[in-house]
Each structure stands twice: as C-alpha cells, then as structure tokens.
Amino acid sequence: MAERRWVAVSEVMHKDVTEIDGNITVLEALRIMHDVEATSLIVKRRHEKDEYGMLLFSDIAKHVIGKDRAPDRVNVYEIMAKPVVWVRPEMDIRYCARLFEKFGIGHAPVIDGNHKVVGIISYYGIALKSLPFLEDDR
C-alpha cells in the first residue's frame, strides 16, 4: 500500500480573502460578500496586539435575520466571531479537519509567520478541493 500524501492547507485554501473593518454595518458587509462572491469575511485587527475576527453568512442568518434585526442598524463587531481559531498554511489537512471537529467550526483564517491572513480554509476546501490529491494515492 502506498504511503498517504501529506496535503498542506495552503494547497486547498481559498486564497482570495476580503478583509473588512468591524465598524461597518452588516448591510455593508452583505454587499461586499455579494460583490466578491464570498461566504466569509475576515475582520481586520484594530492594532498590532489585537486578534482577527471572522464574519460568516451563518452569523448574519442567526444573529440578524433570525432575530429580526435591521442589517443597516447592526455593526459587524456585534455579531462576528473573535478571536477565531486559525491555522498555519503548512498544517496537514487531516489535522485541520480534526481541529474543526474539536472546536465545532467550519472555517478558519490561514495565517502565515508574519501574522498576515493568506487564505481561508473550510470543510469545502478540505473535502472537495483535496480530492485530486487523495486520488493520486490510489
């Protein structure tokens, strides 16, 4: 049996990342999500010692739409996840999947050694985008 190939998060992550300010409204964030065709956005750090945040469609559905709040009257910082669990680009996707399961999450920013966001990894990336790598092991 062939040894299983190690697949790094960087090989399957979504590289087009959009960062927003946490002070914008959810309506503004929704417009950005629509324009860039994203289901998640990274919320910028306010300063060097701050942590990144993340806004997902599910946050908007649960905390704005589900609670009948007006998206133009809710700021992103009110509903975003912060701090977020993040991963390194070099992490093996198997460990990333285990981390997601352990913490009950489905998305995470990918942060490099310079503390910059270089991508977003999700179960979609882990499962579907890694399929060609896994088929190489047959």
Side-chain angles (χ1 to χ4, degrees):
M1 176 159 48
E3 186 174 319
R4 187 165 197 151
R5 183 178 183 279
W6 178 82
V7 179
V9 164
S10 62
E11 295 179 66
V12 298
M13 71 184 183
H14 184 75
K15 294 179 176 103
D16 295 326
V17 178
T18 302
E19 294 188 26
I20 60 169
D21 187 282
N23 287 318
I24 69 171
T25 67
V26 169
L27 182 60
E28 292 171 295
L30 275 168
R31 286 186 176 132
I32 292 168
M33 288 172 139
H34 177 268
D35 291 346
V36 300
E37 298 179 356
T39 59
S40 59
L41 300 170
I42 298 294
V43 181
K44 296 177 187 174
R45 301 184 310 166
R46 293 171 294 170
H47 51 78
E48 192 175 285
K49 302 223 185 257
D50 196 15
E51 296 297 327
Y52 287 102
M54 190 170 229
L55 179 68
L56 306 174
F57 267 152
S58 59
D59 296 324
I60 296 169
K62 290 176 196 173
H63 303 295
V64 178
I65 297 166
K67 294 183 179 177
D68 200 24
R69 298 172 73 188
D72 61 331
R73 298 181 58 110
V74 178
N75 293 90
V76 167
Y77 71 82
E78 296 177 66
I79 65 165
M80 69 182 182
K82 182 176 179 178
V84 292
V85 174
W86 54 272
V87 299
R88 296 175 301 111
E90 303 83 18
M91 180 183 276
D92 186 291
I93 60 170
R94 291 173 288 188
Y95 293 131
C96 186
R98 292 175 195 164
L99 186 75
F100 280 12
E101 176 65 25
K102 181 174 184 164
F103 288 99
I105 60 175
H107 295 74
V110 181
I111 299 180
D112 69 11
N114 296 319
H115 304 289
K116 300 292 180 203
V117 177
V118 295
I120 294 177
I121 187 69
S122 65
Y123 274 131
Y124 176 85
I126 293 170
L128 293 181
K129 290 185 180 180
S130 65
L131 187 58
F133 298 112
L134 300 175
E135 287 179 341
D136 289 345
D137 292 337
R138 285 201 241 170

